[in-house]
Amino acid sequence: MKTKILVVDDEADLELLIKQKFRRKIRESAYEFIFAGNGQEALDRLREHPDTDIVLSDINMPVMDGLTLLGRLPEASPVTKTVMVSAYGDMQNIRAAMNGGAFDFVCKPVDFNDLELTIEKTASHVQQLRATMKAIQENNILRMYVDETVINFMARPGFENKLLASETVEATVVFIDICGFTSLSETQPAATVVGLLNKYFDQIVQEVIAHGGYIDKFMGDAVMAVFRGEYHLDRAIDAALVVRAQLQTASSPLPDGTDYHPSVSIGINTGEMVSGNIGSASLKRLDYTVIGDIVNVSQRLQSAAHPNQIVITGAVYEQVKESFQCAPIGELKLKNKANPIMTYEVIA
């Protein structure tokens, strides 16, 4: 990786000397040097070369001295590190430079072997700093795509050694489908459909998180949410009721002048399921999710639900009948299930 170095010094012959002493590094494209005669010129060069890694700066210069430049560098180029190269090597100047943020100090006359070692050490530090900043940026982006629960799971000690490990958990799974989007996409511009979908997804996500659940995935115009911990079933139903109520009262104007009134169909099921990473470690494509019959039935219940219906099984009804008002729907034949399943609708 090429190291870009800005040399700031008013000595006219220094540029030629630098190019001679580091000609091999320049030829091998290990170093690239740019030059400035004072601090103000240096700031101009940094604007032209924002990817500069190291500044080698003298102290005593016209227009703007090295210590003043040092104070201006964090604003001009936060990642760039400065090595002061000066004949003023007394302790007062060294302390002033180090307290001002210099990474190191080299005294003139310059020992170029020592200077090369200093450049290598400084470049290594800058590379680590850039890598850390990139990781932070990537992590911030990752948090927009991955639920906080998954990120916390990945932070567990030894996570990388048990990528495909799984565990059996007690949880509740909720599938929420925003009805009518398939037909809407046939008549409305794509940007309109996506904008509406994101708007309603945001409302759903906020309520899921507010009730202690997390988003497992988005699937077209549907959301899969998981609730774990104490009273996970009750919290899941509460979230579903609030989501239904909010979207029932929502409306959005469409480009053709009509209003779109969204509705949701919801399936809820609870019990034991397998939680873990599903996918290919070789391909480095994994999905942290829950799987099992409980999950499958929840999705089938959502598929069977009418708009604004929250459908549960008879087994779930027995657990919540004292807490929620429910009405029987009857036995439903769900896809890939051998026997019909008794179902109920959660009213309130």
Side-chain angles (χ1 to χ4, degrees):
M1 183 180 295
K2 181 185 291 187
T3 300
K4 183 174 285 190
I5 305 163
L6 170 59
V7 180
V8 190
D9 201 302
D10 60 337
E11 290 186 24
D13 59 347
L14 183 63
E15 179 174 344
L16 181 60
L17 184 60
I18 289 283
K19 289 179 177 179
Q20 289 176 346
K21 293 293 184 180
F22 292 106
R23 59 183 179 276
R24 183 177 60 83
K25 290 284 189 179
I26 295 171
R27 188 168 59 246
E28 294 172 353
S29 295
Y31 292 170
E32 178 184 346
F33 288 97
I34 50 181
F35 298 89
N38 58 64
Q40 186 57 57
E41 286 185 17
L43 294 176
D44 294 338
R45 296 291 180 275
L46 285 173
R47 281 190 287 270
E48 297 167 2
H49 302 273
D51 57 339
T52 300
D53 298 296
I54 301 171
V55 173
L56 302 180
S57 178
D58 194 8
I59 291 180
N60 188 25
M61 295 179 292
V63 185
M64 181 186 293
D65 63 75
L67 294 179
T68 302
L69 170 64
L70 190 60
R72 300 276 299 274
L73 282 175
E75 181 181 352
S77 184
V79 180
T80 304
K81 291 300 174 185
T82 303
V83 176
M84 305 305 293
V85 183
S86 175
Y88 293 88
D90 57 278
M91 187 53 66
Q92 182 177 352
N93 277 298
I94 292 175
R95 292 297 300 165
M98 302 308 290
N99 289 336
F103 184 78
D104 209 334
F105 198 107
V106 174
C107 293
K108 292 182 177 179
V110 175
D111 179 334
F112 281 92
N113 290 326
D114 177 63
L115 179 59
E116 183 171 347
L117 290 174
T118 302
I119 289 173
E120 291 296 321
K121 178 183 68 174
T122 310
S124 176
H125 179 81
V126 171
Q127 289 168 12
Q128 291 174 12
L129 187 58
R130 290 192 193 279
T132 300
M133 292 182 66
K134 181 181 178 183
I136 292 172
Q137 291 171 346
E138 290 173 346
N139 186 56
N140 290 336
I141 294 171
L142 178 66
R143 288 177 183 275
M144 296 177 65
Y145 288 88
V146 181
D147 188 88
E148 191 77 22
T149 303
V150 180
I151 294 176
N152 292 338
F153 175 82
M154 292 189 295
R156 292 179 185 177
F159 167 79
E160 66 279 1
N161 298 322
K162 48 184 180 183
L163 282 176
L164 299 181
S166 60
E167 58 180 337
T168 301
V169 298
E170 279 280 343
T172 297
V173 179
V174 182
F175 283 87
I176 305 171
D177 183 80
I178 305 175
C179 305
F181 258 89
T182 301
S183 58
L184 195 66
S185 63
E186 296 175 355
T187 60
Q188 299 298 323
T192 300
V193 175
V194 171
L196 285 176
L197 197 57
N198 286 337
K199 173 185 174 181
Y200 298 135
F201 273 169
D202 193 49
Q203 290 180 265
I204 293 170
V205 168
Q206 288 183 42
E207 290 306 324
V208 167
I209 293 173
H211 288 82
Y214 68 89
I215 302 301
D216 184 286
K217 59 175 67 71
F218 296 99
M219 304 171 298
D221 52 9
V223 178
M224 174 182 170
V226 180
F227 293 77
R228 295 171 63 173
E230 285 190 321
Y231 305 108
H232 54 81
L233 176 55
D234 287 33
R235 289 187 284 109
I237 295 177
D238 281 335
L241 287 168
V242 174
V243 165
R244 182 178 67 180
Q246 285 191 349
L247 267 67
Q248 275 182 319
T249 59
S251 66
S252 297
L254 299 176
D256 60 11
T258 62
D259 272 352
Y260 171 70
H261 299 275
S263 58
V264 288
S265 59
I266 302 175
I268 301 177
N269 201 15
T270 191
E272 281 193 352
M273 58 198 72
V274 177
S275 172
N277 285 305
I278 308 299
S280 169
S282 301
L283 190 60
K284 297 182 180 179
R285 290 292 301 273
L286 298 171
D287 185 16
Y288 181 71
T289 188
V290 289
I291 60 172
D293 185 62
I294 295 294
V295 181
N296 296 338
V297 169
S298 179
Q299 187 171 30
R300 303 290 186 267
L301 292 172
Q302 178 274 309
S303 297
H306 297 302
N308 292 323
Q309 261 192 336
I310 302 172
V311 180
I312 59 175
T313 65
V316 174
Y317 167 73
E318 291 300 324
Q319 297 183 52
V320 301
K321 62 183 179 182
E322 295 182 0
S323 302
F324 297 93
Q325 180 186 348
C326 303
I329 296 174
E331 290 189 339
L332 294 178
K333 183 69 171 69
L334 302 181
K335 184 179 179 181
N336 295 331
K337 301 299 292 183
N339 300 313
I341 294 178
M342 183 61 189
T343 58
Y344 290 77
E345 176 184 359
V346 180
I347 305 299

